PDB file of all heavy atoms in Angstrom:
ATOM      1  N   ILE A 152      28.284  -9.776 -10.198  1.00 92.00           N
ATOM      2  CA  ILE A 152      29.073  -8.541 -10.390  1.00 92.00           C
ATOM      3  C   ILE A 152      30.492  -8.890 -10.758  1.00 92.00           C
ATOM      4  O   ILE A 152      31.150  -9.647  -9.969  1.00 92.00           O
ATOM      5  CB  ILE A 152      29.067  -7.645  -9.110  1.00 92.00           C
ATOM      6  CG1 ILE A 152      27.559  -7.364  -8.799  1.00 92.00           C
ATOM      7  CG2 ILE A 152      29.834  -6.371  -9.300  1.00 92.00           C
ATOM      8  CD1 ILE A 152      26.783  -6.629  -9.892  1.00 92.00           C
ATOM      9  N   GLU A 153      30.987  -8.251 -11.846  1.00 93.00           N
ATOM     10  CA  GLU A 153      32.354  -8.560 -12.238  1.00 93.00           C
ATOM     11  C   GLU A 153      33.452  -7.668 -11.560  1.00 93.00           C
ATOM     12  O   GLU A 153      34.582  -7.971 -11.582  1.00 93.00           O
ATOM     13  CB  GLU A 153      32.414  -8.375 -13.740  1.00 93.00           C
ATOM     14  CG  GLU A 153      31.522  -9.349 -14.554  1.00 93.00           C
ATOM     15  CD  GLU A 153      31.448  -8.990 -15.987  1.00 93.00           C
ATOM     16  OE1 GLU A 153      32.566  -8.979 -16.618  1.00 93.00           O
ATOM     17  OE2 GLU A 153      30.358  -8.624 -16.565  1.00 93.00           O
ATOM     18  N   THR A 154      33.022  -6.478 -11.118  1.00 93.00           N
ATOM     19  CA  THR A 154      33.903  -5.439 -10.647  1.00 93.00           C
ATOM     20  C   THR A 154      34.196  -5.704  -9.144  1.00 93.00           C
ATOM     21  O   THR A 154      33.261  -5.426  -8.321  1.00 93.00           O
ATOM     22  CB  THR A 154      33.387  -4.108 -10.864  1.00 93.00           C
ATOM     23  OG1 THR A 154      32.965  -3.953 -12.214  1.00 93.00           O
ATOM     24  CG2 THR A 154      34.461  -3.023 -10.584  1.00 93.00           C
ATOM     25  N   ALA A 155      35.393  -5.977  -8.752  1.00 90.00           N
ATOM     26  CA  ALA A 155      35.719  -6.093  -7.316  1.00 90.00           C
ATOM     27  C   ALA A 155      35.582  -4.736  -6.643  1.00 90.00           C
ATOM     28  O   ALA A 155      36.056  -3.797  -7.180  1.00 90.00           O
ATOM     29  CB  ALA A 155      37.154  -6.619  -7.186  1.00 90.00           C
ATOM     30  N   GLY A 156      34.914  -4.681  -5.537  1.00 89.00           N
ATOM     31  CA  GLY A 156      34.721  -3.465  -4.709  1.00 89.00           C
ATOM     32  C   GLY A 156      33.889  -2.488  -5.384  1.00 89.00           C
ATOM     33  O   GLY A 156      33.873  -1.285  -5.031  1.00 89.00           O
ATOM     34  N   ASP A 157      33.025  -2.889  -6.318  1.00 93.00           N
ATOM     35  CA  ASP A 157      32.086  -1.991  -7.042  1.00 93.00           C
ATOM     36  C   ASP A 157      31.190  -1.259  -6.018  1.00 93.00           C
ATOM     37  O   ASP A 157      30.687  -1.862  -5.103  1.00 93.00           O
ATOM     38  CB  ASP A 157      31.269  -2.739  -8.020  1.00 93.00           C
ATOM     39  CG  ASP A 157      30.371  -1.737  -8.890  1.00 93.00           C
ATOM     40  OD1 ASP A 157      30.929  -1.249  -9.834  1.00 93.00           O
ATOM     41  OD2 ASP A 157      29.242  -1.663  -8.512  1.00 93.00           O
ATOM     42  N   SER A 158      30.983   0.008  -6.222  1.00 91.00           N
ATOM     43  CA  SER A 158      30.162   0.782  -5.266  1.00 91.00           C
ATOM     44  C   SER A 158      29.469   1.919  -6.014  1.00 91.00           C
ATOM     45  O   SER A 158      28.601   1.553  -6.880  1.00 91.00           O
ATOM     46  CB  SER A 158      31.133   1.333  -4.221  1.00 91.00           C
ATOM     47  OG  SER A 158      30.381   2.107  -3.221  1.00 91.00           O
ATOM     48  N   HIS A 159      29.781   3.046  -5.694  1.00 96.00           N
ATOM     49  CA  HIS A 159      28.928   4.332  -6.122  1.00 96.00           C
ATOM     50  C   HIS A 159      28.995   4.527  -7.663  1.00 96.00           C
ATOM     51  O   HIS A 159      30.032   4.692  -8.249  1.00 96.00           O
ATOM     52  CB  HIS A 159      29.481   5.506  -5.385  1.00 96.00           C
ATOM     53  CG  HIS A 159      28.749   6.701  -5.674  1.00 96.00           C
ATOM     54  ND1 HIS A 159      27.557   7.051  -5.019  1.00 96.00           N
ATOM     55  CD2 HIS A 159      29.066   7.745  -6.442  1.00 96.00           C
ATOM     56  CE1 HIS A 159      27.139   8.203  -5.430  1.00 96.00           C
ATOM     57  NE2 HIS A 159      28.018   8.700  -6.269  1.00 96.00           N
ATOM     58  N   ALA A 160      27.785   4.508  -8.296  1.00 97.00           N
ATOM     59  CA  ALA A 160      27.619   4.791  -9.652  1.00 97.00           C
ATOM     60  C   ALA A 160      28.411   3.789 -10.663  1.00 97.00           C
ATOM     61  O   ALA A 160      28.685   4.089 -11.773  1.00 97.00           O
ATOM     62  CB  ALA A 160      28.083   6.171 -10.039  1.00 97.00           C
ATOM     63  N   GLY A 161      28.654   2.629 -10.063  1.00 96.00           N
ATOM     64  CA  GLY A 161      29.426   1.638 -10.829  1.00 96.00           C
ATOM     65  C   GLY A 161      28.516   0.583 -11.524  1.00 96.00           C
ATOM     66  O   GLY A 161      27.408   0.883 -11.977  1.00 96.00           O
ATOM     67  N   GLU A 162      29.051  -0.614 -11.545  1.00 96.00           N
ATOM     68  CA  GLU A 162      28.317  -1.725 -12.241  1.00 96.00           C
ATOM     69  C   GLU A 162      26.913  -1.990 -11.612  1.00 96.00           C
ATOM     70  O   GLU A 162      25.958  -2.149 -12.390  1.00 96.00           O
ATOM     71  CB  GLU A 162      29.189  -2.972 -12.172  1.00 96.00           C
ATOM     72  CG  GLU A 162      28.629  -4.180 -12.953  1.00 96.00           C
ATOM     73  CD  GLU A 162      29.525  -5.319 -12.840  1.00 96.00           C
ATOM     74  OE1 GLU A 162      30.674  -5.316 -12.222  1.00 96.00           O
ATOM     75  OE2 GLU A 162      29.134  -6.452 -13.339  1.00 96.00           O
ATOM     76  N   ILE A 163      26.853  -2.003 -10.296  1.00 95.00           N
ATOM     77  CA  ILE A 163      25.604  -2.350  -9.701  1.00 95.00           C
ATOM     78  C   ILE A 163      24.552  -1.343  -9.902  1.00 95.00           C
ATOM     79  O   ILE A 163      23.390  -1.576 -10.403  1.00 95.00           O
ATOM     80  CB  ILE A 163      25.802  -2.658  -8.123  1.00 95.00           C
ATOM     81  CG1 ILE A 163      26.713  -3.789  -7.923  1.00 95.00           C
ATOM     82  CG2 ILE A 163      24.419  -2.908  -7.461  1.00 95.00           C
ATOM     83  CD1 ILE A 163      27.095  -4.016  -6.422  1.00 95.00           C
ATOM     84  N   GLU A 164      24.828  -0.094  -9.503  1.00 96.00           N
ATOM     85  CA  GLU A 164      23.846   0.950  -9.622  1.00 96.00           C
ATOM     86  C   GLU A 164      23.426   1.270 -11.129  1.00 96.00           C
ATOM     87  O   GLU A 164      22.263   1.525 -11.419  1.00 96.00           O
ATOM     88  CB  GLU A 164      24.323   2.209  -8.987  1.00 96.00           C
ATOM     89  CG  GLU A 164      24.398   2.081  -7.435  1.00 96.00           C
ATOM     90  CD  GLU A 164      24.524   3.380  -6.723  1.00 96.00           C
ATOM     91  OE1 GLU A 164      25.375   4.201  -7.128  1.00 96.00           O
ATOM     92  OE2 GLU A 164      23.771   3.591  -5.782  1.00 96.00           O
ATOM     93  N   THR A 165      24.494   1.212 -12.010  1.00 97.00           N
ATOM     94  CA  THR A 165      24.174   1.454 -13.350  1.00 97.00           C
ATOM     95  C   THR A 165      23.259   0.322 -13.925  1.00 97.00           C
ATOM     96  O   THR A 165      22.362   0.680 -14.680  1.00 97.00           O
ATOM     97  CB  THR A 165      25.457   1.585 -14.227  1.00 97.00           C
ATOM     98  OG1 THR A 165      26.287   2.559 -13.654  1.00 97.00           O
ATOM     99  CG2 THR A 165      25.133   1.879 -15.598  1.00 97.00           C
ATOM    100  N   SER A 166      23.516  -0.882 -13.512  1.00 97.00           N
ATOM    101  CA  SER A 166      22.636  -1.990 -14.012  1.00 97.00           C
ATOM    102  C   SER A 166      21.209  -1.819 -13.554  1.00 97.00           C
ATOM    103  O   SER A 166      20.267  -1.991 -14.303  1.00 97.00           O
ATOM    104  CB  SER A 166      23.256  -3.318 -13.451  1.00 97.00           C
ATOM    105  OG  SER A 166      24.498  -3.631 -14.090  1.00 97.00           O
ATOM    106  N   ARG A 167      21.139  -1.347 -12.355  1.00 96.00           N
ATOM    107  CA  ARG A 167      19.694  -1.279 -11.835  1.00 96.00           C
ATOM    108  C   ARG A 167      18.964  -0.136 -12.455  1.00 96.00           C
ATOM    109  O   ARG A 167      17.730  -0.287 -12.736  1.00 96.00           O
ATOM    110  CB  ARG A 167      19.768  -1.055 -10.273  1.00 96.00           C
ATOM    111  CG  ARG A 167      20.381  -2.351  -9.574  1.00 96.00           C
ATOM    112  CD  ARG A 167      20.377  -2.205  -8.111  1.00 96.00           C
ATOM    113  NE  ARG A 167      19.115  -2.064  -7.567  1.00 96.00           N
ATOM    114  CZ  ARG A 167      18.751  -1.856  -6.337  1.00 96.00           C
ATOM    115  NH1 ARG A 167      19.862  -1.670  -5.456  1.00 96.00           N
ATOM    116  NH2 ARG A 167      17.598  -1.762  -5.904  1.00 96.00           N
ATOM    117  N   ILE A 168      19.546   1.046 -12.699  1.00 98.00           N
ATOM    118  CA  ILE A 168      18.863   2.102 -13.394  1.00 98.00           C
ATOM    119  C   ILE A 168      18.654   1.757 -14.907  1.00 98.00           C
ATOM    120  O   ILE A 168      17.615   2.193 -15.449  1.00 98.00           O
ATOM    121  CB  ILE A 168      19.639   3.452 -13.223  1.00 98.00           C
ATOM    122  CG1 ILE A 168      19.753   3.799 -11.706  1.00 98.00           C
ATOM    123  CG2 ILE A 168      18.855   4.550 -13.895  1.00 98.00           C
ATOM    124  CD1 ILE A 168      18.404   3.920 -10.996  1.00 98.00           C
ATOM    125  N   LEU A 169      19.568   1.009 -15.495  1.00 98.00           N
ATOM    126  CA  LEU A 169      19.302   0.492 -16.824  1.00 98.00           C
ATOM    127  C   LEU A 169      18.133  -0.345 -16.899  1.00 98.00           C
ATOM    128  O   LEU A 169      17.399  -0.346 -17.890  1.00 98.00           O
ATOM    129  CB  LEU A 169      20.585  -0.330 -17.322  1.00 98.00           C
ATOM    130  CG  LEU A 169      21.754   0.534 -17.850  1.00 98.00           C
ATOM    131  CD1 LEU A 169      22.911  -0.382 -18.103  1.00 98.00           C
ATOM    132  CD2 LEU A 169      21.389   1.227 -19.132  1.00 98.00           C
ATOM    133  N   PHE A 170      17.804  -1.052 -15.823  1.00 97.00           N
ATOM    134  CA  PHE A 170      16.605  -1.922 -15.832  1.00 97.00           C
ATOM    135  C   PHE A 170      15.334  -1.122 -15.508  1.00 97.00           C
ATOM    136  O   PHE A 170      14.335  -1.275 -16.236  1.00 97.00           O
ATOM    137  CB  PHE A 170      16.768  -2.993 -14.708  1.00 97.00           C
ATOM    138  CG  PHE A 170      15.501  -3.780 -14.418  1.00 97.00           C
ATOM    139  CD1 PHE A 170      14.852  -4.358 -15.393  1.00 97.00           C
ATOM    140  CD2 PHE A 170      15.051  -3.771 -13.093  1.00 97.00           C
ATOM    141  CE1 PHE A 170      13.589  -5.056 -15.169  1.00 97.00           C
ATOM    142  CE2 PHE A 170      13.824  -4.451 -12.842  1.00 97.00           C
ATOM    143  CZ  PHE A 170      13.211  -5.187 -13.847  1.00 97.00           C
ATOM    144  N   THR A 171      15.404  -0.199 -14.556  1.00 97.00           N
ATOM    145  CA  THR A 171      14.173   0.489 -14.120  1.00 97.00           C
ATOM    146  C   THR A 171      13.899   1.785 -14.894  1.00 97.00           C
ATOM    147  O   THR A 171      12.728   2.068 -15.127  1.00 97.00           O
ATOM    148  CB  THR A 171      14.267   0.826 -12.583  1.00 97.00           C
ATOM    149  OG1 THR A 171      15.389   1.686 -12.420  1.00 97.00           O
ATOM    150  CG2 THR A 171      14.380  -0.456 -11.741  1.00 97.00           C
ATOM    151  N   ARG A 172      14.913   2.466 -15.298  1.00 98.00           N
ATOM    152  CA  ARG A 172      14.671   3.749 -15.944  1.00 98.00           C
ATOM    153  C   ARG A 172      15.785   3.953 -16.996  1.00 98.00           C
ATOM    154  O   ARG A 172      16.623   4.891 -16.827  1.00 98.00           O
ATOM    155  CB  ARG A 172      14.782   4.920 -14.934  1.00 98.00           C
ATOM    156  CG  ARG A 172      13.582   4.824 -13.924  1.00 98.00           C
ATOM    157  CD  ARG A 172      13.811   5.855 -12.821  1.00 98.00           C
ATOM    158  NE  ARG A 172      12.770   5.881 -11.863  1.00 98.00           N
ATOM    159  CZ  ARG A 172      12.594   4.990 -10.830  1.00 98.00           C
ATOM    160  NH1 ARG A 172      13.457   4.065 -10.718  1.00 98.00           N
ATOM    161  NH2 ARG A 172      11.577   5.043 -10.049  1.00 98.00           N
ATOM    162  N   PRO A 173      15.801   3.165 -18.073  1.00 98.00           N
ATOM    163  CA  PRO A 173      16.889   3.281 -19.108  1.00 98.00           C
ATOM    164  C   PRO A 173      16.977   4.623 -19.752  1.00 98.00           C
ATOM    165  O   PRO A 173      18.024   5.098 -20.138  1.00 98.00           O
ATOM    166  CB  PRO A 173      16.567   2.100 -20.054  1.00 98.00           C
ATOM    167  CG  PRO A 173      15.151   1.837 -19.799  1.00 98.00           C
ATOM    168  CD  PRO A 173      14.834   2.094 -18.394  1.00 98.00           C
ATOM    169  N   HIS A 174      15.870   5.344 -19.812  1.00 98.00           N
ATOM    170  CA  HIS A 174      15.869   6.568 -20.437  1.00 98.00           C
ATOM    171  C   HIS A 174      16.577   7.699 -19.604  1.00 98.00           C
ATOM    172  O   HIS A 174      16.925   8.768 -20.185  1.00 98.00           O
ATOM    173  CB  HIS A 174      14.356   7.123 -20.633  1.00 98.00           C
ATOM    174  CG  HIS A 174      13.654   7.239 -19.342  1.00 98.00           C
ATOM    175  ND1 HIS A 174      13.217   6.200 -18.573  1.00 98.00           N
ATOM    176  CD2 HIS A 174      13.245   8.421 -18.672  1.00 98.00           C
ATOM    177  CE1 HIS A 174      12.587   6.628 -17.458  1.00 98.00           C
ATOM    178  NE2 HIS A 174      12.588   7.981 -17.544  1.00 98.00           N
ATOM    179  N   LEU A 175      16.898   7.392 -18.385  1.00 98.00           N
ATOM    180  CA  LEU A 175      17.661   8.380 -17.604  1.00 98.00           C
ATOM    181  C   LEU A 175      19.202   8.119 -17.573  1.00 98.00           C
ATOM    182  O   LEU A 175      19.895   8.909 -17.045  1.00 98.00           O
ATOM    183  CB  LEU A 175      17.150   8.340 -16.150  1.00 98.00           C
ATOM    184  CG  LEU A 175      15.722   8.712 -15.905  1.00 98.00           C
ATOM    185  CD1 LEU A 175      15.389   8.694 -14.395  1.00 98.00           C
ATOM    186  CD2 LEU A 175      15.508  10.175 -16.440  1.00 98.00           C
ATOM    187  N   VAL A 176      19.601   6.988 -18.195  1.00 98.00           N
ATOM    188  CA  VAL A 176      21.039   6.721 -18.181  1.00 98.00           C
ATOM    189  C   VAL A 176      21.643   7.386 -19.449  1.00 98.00           C
ATOM    190  O   VAL A 176      21.239   7.201 -20.580  1.00 98.00           O
ATOM    191  CB  VAL A 176      21.278   5.204 -18.265  1.00 98.00           C
ATOM    192  CG1 VAL A 176      22.734   4.977 -18.315  1.00 98.00           C
ATOM    193  CG2 VAL A 176      20.641   4.550 -17.095  1.00 98.00           C
ATOM    194  N   LYS A 177      22.682   8.288 -19.183  1.00 97.00           N
ATOM    195  CA  LYS A 177      23.267   9.096 -20.261  1.00 97.00           C
ATOM    196  C   LYS A 177      24.664   8.488 -20.559  1.00 97.00           C
ATOM    197  O   LYS A 177      25.664   8.945 -20.053  1.00 97.00           O
ATOM    198  CB  LYS A 177      23.389  10.540 -19.799  1.00 97.00           C
ATOM    199  CG  LYS A 177      22.142  11.125 -19.317  1.00 97.00           C
ATOM    200  CD  LYS A 177      21.005  11.145 -20.301  1.00 97.00           C
ATOM    201  CE  LYS A 177      19.703  11.799 -19.830  1.00 97.00           C
ATOM    202  NZ  LYS A 177      18.587  11.765 -20.747  1.00 97.00           N
ATOM    203  N   GLY A 178      24.665   7.445 -21.288  1.00 95.00           N
ATOM    204  CA  GLY A 178      25.942   6.849 -21.663  1.00 95.00           C
ATOM    205  C   GLY A 178      26.581   6.105 -20.527  1.00 95.00           C
ATOM    206  O   GLY A 178      26.009   5.364 -19.764  1.00 95.00           O
ATOM    207  N   THR A 179      27.879   6.428 -20.279  1.00 95.00           N
ATOM    208  CA  THR A 179      28.578   5.766 -19.175  1.00 95.00           C
ATOM    209  C   THR A 179      29.671   6.739 -18.703  1.00 95.00           C
ATOM    210  O   THR A 179      29.753   7.924 -19.088  1.00 95.00           O
ATOM    211  CB  THR A 179      29.276   4.455 -19.641  1.00 95.00           C
ATOM    212  OG1 THR A 179      29.874   3.805 -18.548  1.00 95.00           O
ATOM    213  CG2 THR A 179      30.360   4.735 -20.643  1.00 95.00           C
TER     214      THR A 179
END
Side-chain angles (χ1 to χ4, degrees):
I152 303 306
E153 302 173 57
T154 312
D157 185 80
S158 181
H159 184 79
E162 182 180 355
I163 296 173
E164 290 195 312
T165 304
S166 293
R167 294 183 65 187
I168 300 300
L169 279 171
F170 168 57
T171 59
R172 295 171 179 82
H174 61 289
L175 296 182
V176 181
K177 310 299 182 185
T179 187

